Amino acid sequence: MQKYIAFLRGINVGGHNKLPMQDLRALLDLLGFLEVKTYIQTGNILFKSDVTDIAIITSKIEAGIENSFGFKIPVLVKTPKQVALILENYPFSETEKQTSYFALLYTKVGRNQKQLITTFSFLNEKFKLINDCVYLYSSTGYGRAKANNNFLEKN
C-alpha cells in the first residue's frame, strides 16, 4: 500500500462547492481508498491505495466528487516523498520559509509561461518557480500578496 496526499482545489471557499469532510472521507472509503484522513475543511486528504498510477487515482476522486456532489473539482495527488522534496527545495531563507507559501501546479510550466511569470515584480514579495511548484514569500502576509493563486492562474 502506498500513501498519497490529495489536494482539492476550490472547495468550501466563500460558500461555494461545500463539501463536508465527513462526506468526503466516506466517499473515498467507498472508492476503495484506505485510512482516509482529512485536514480541517481544506480538502487536503491523506490516504492509502494499492493503485500506483496517480492519474487513475486522480480521475477516480474527481469522478467520485462530481457524481456524488454534482460539481467538478480539480484534484492533485502527490506521494509523501514528492511533498517532502517540495519542502526541501524551498528557495528562501529559514526565517522567510516559516511564513512563506507554495502553490502546486497541475503541469510543469513551459518556457513562455515561466518567462511571463518571472518578469513580474511586486514590492515586499518574491516568488520562485521550480518545476510544478511556485514558492511565494510576502513580508506583508499572503492576504495582501499580489502574487497569489489568482495572479498565478491568470498568467
Side-chain angles (χ1 to χ4, degrees):
M1 285 280 163
Q2 170 69 46
K3 290 182 181 178
Y4 294 97
I5 305 163
F7 301 93
L8 277 60
R9 178 86 168 108
I11 65 161
N12 300 332
V13 179
H16 301 288
N17 297 333
K18 289 189 177 189
L19 182 50
M21 295 301 98
Q22 177 180 323
D23 296 346
L24 181 59
R25 286 190 301 274
L27 172 64
L28 266 69
D29 284 337
L30 283 172
L31 293 173
F33 299 110
L34 302 171
E35 298 181 33
V36 178
K37 297 176 184 156
T38 54
Y39 180 70
I40 55 178
Q41 296 295 320
T42 61
N44 297 341
I45 313 161
L46 304 170
F47 61 94
K48 287 184 177 181
S49 177
D50 56 1
V51 178
T52 57
D53 187 328
I54 287 179
I56 291 171
I57 293 170
T58 301
S59 294
K60 197 173 184 179
I61 295 171
E62 288 177 341
I65 291 170
E66 186 171 9
N67 293 335
S68 297
F69 302 103
F71 46 82
K72 262 189 136 151
I73 295 294
V75 176
L76 187 63
V77 177
K78 297 282 186 188
T79 65
K81 186 177 180 178
Q82 290 171 314
V83 173
L85 189 59
I86 289 166
L87 297 174
E88 287 172 20
N89 285 335
Y90 249 91
F92 307 129
S93 72
E94 275 304 310
T95 304
E96 292 169 336
K97 183 178 177 180
Q98 299 305 314
T99 57
S100 61
Y101 304 86
F102 65 89
L104 299 173
L105 307 173
Y106 288 90
T107 59
K108 191 174 180 178
V109 172
R111 182 186 303 187
N112 290 343
Q113 249 184 326
K114 185 173 185 176
Q115 185 176 5
L116 179 64
I117 290 173
T118 55
T119 58
F120 285 93
S121 177
F122 299 112
L123 187 64
N124 302 317
E125 295 178 37
K126 53 185 170 179
F127 56 104
K128 179 126 177 124
L129 193 54
I130 300 176
N131 297 323
D132 61 351
C133 184
V134 179
Y135 299 89
L136 168 67
Y137 169 73
S138 173
S139 63
T140 59
Y142 183 75
R144 296 180 181 202
K146 290 187 167 82
N148 57 25
N149 274 355
N150 291 334
F151 164 77
L152 295 169
E153 289 171 354
K154 286 180 190 174
N155 295 296

